[in-house]
Amino acid sequence: MTGTREIAQFGGADDGGLGLREAATLLEQTGRQARRELEPYPPWLFVVRAAIVLAVGGAAWLSVRGQHPYQGPTVSAILVIAPLLVVNLVATLAVARRRTTGVSGRSRLRPVEITVMVVIWVGVYVVLGVLAGAGVSPAIVYGWYLVGVPLIVAGIAWAAIMAARANWRECGTAVAVAVVGAAAVFAGPVGAWAVAGVGLCITLLGSAAAIACRQRA
């Protein structure tokens, strides 16, 4: 009788206690919030992005492999690449907005971190424009620089930010991106596109696997 009475008191709304159902709901919400703070992006999004970067790199490589001299991706390749990049951006922003709603603290980027990344990306493409305007060879401007340098610079910067946050998985992913960029530079203007596409695809699939294993654990 004592045990029955205690259960009734815990689950009874009249006693002001928290019902078992309400407690389970609260626990589930808390767990979901914690998972969203740890992993704002689900594994499937990384798989989709891996497929997109592989398609982008492949389309660009197919368009430049027969060029003599090298001129960069053709208009037809750009017409394929641009929609893929838009799909990637929209999917990433939509998932990020949904999963970070109500999430605060260290899981969100600080203004200074956002500013650093924006300045880096803008700076990389400003230099690209300067090189193109100065008449530098298209093999350099639209080959190894366009493919490799953004990956190297942004990868190193993101790795530093994630290391400061002690987010070692993200830091490792960023270092891998920088390594892919360096490999693309050494692959030459034509091979850079293939190396970047395959390398980034493998990196993103690795991130998806790591997140899936972490969630199961």
Side-chain angles (χ1 to χ4, degrees):
M1 295 295 293
T2 301
T4 304
R5 188 182 305 112
E6 290 177 352
I7 294 175
Q9 288 176 351
F10 182 80
D14 295 339
D15 296 333
L18 184 65
L20 291 174
R21 182 176 301 175
E22 288 79 1
T25 301
L26 179 60
L27 182 61
E28 180 183 357
Q29 291 174 347
T30 303
R32 188 182 304 117
Q33 178 88 352
R35 288 193 299 271
R36 286 161 60 189
E37 291 194 7
L38 290 172
E39 306 293 355
Y41 299 112
W44 65 261
L45 179 61
F46 285 89
V47 174
V48 171
R49 294 169 73 179
I52 289 175
V53 297
L54 185 61
V56 168
W61 176 74
L62 288 172
S63 72
V64 301
R65 64 175 181 164
Q67 291 182 352
H68 300 287
Y70 180 94
Q71 296 297 320
T74 61
V75 174
S76 59
I78 293 174
L79 292 177
V80 174
I81 293 171
L84 292 173
L85 295 178
V86 171
V87 170
N88 175 63
L89 178 62
V90 171
T92 301
L93 293 178
V95 172
R97 181 177 181 181
R98 177 181 178 184
R99 293 178 70 90
T100 58
T101 299
V103 176
S104 59
R106 286 180 59 83
S107 59
R108 283 189 176 276
L109 289 176
R110 293 186 288 268
V112 65
E113 295 169 337
I114 296 174
T115 301
V116 168
M117 294 305 299
V118 169
V119 169
I120 285 174
W121 279 107
V122 172
V124 165
Y125 288 104
V126 166
V127 173
L128 176 69
V130 171
L131 292 175
V136 177
S137 169
I140 296 177
V141 179
Y142 304 115
W144 68 263
Y145 183 94
L146 177 60
V147 182
V149 172
L151 297 180
I152 295 172
V153 177
I156 292 174
W158 189 249
I161 291 174
M162 291 298 102
R165 289 167 163 261
N167 188 336
W168 303 117
R169 185 189 63 76
E170 284 282 348
C171 179
T173 300
V175 170
V177 169
V179 170
V180 170
V185 169
F186 285 102
V190 175
W193 292 101
V195 169
V198 173
L200 291 178
C201 178
I202 294 173
T203 300
L204 290 168
L205 290 177
S207 294
I211 293 173
C213 290
R214 180 170 176 171
Q215 289 178 342
R216 283 197 297 268

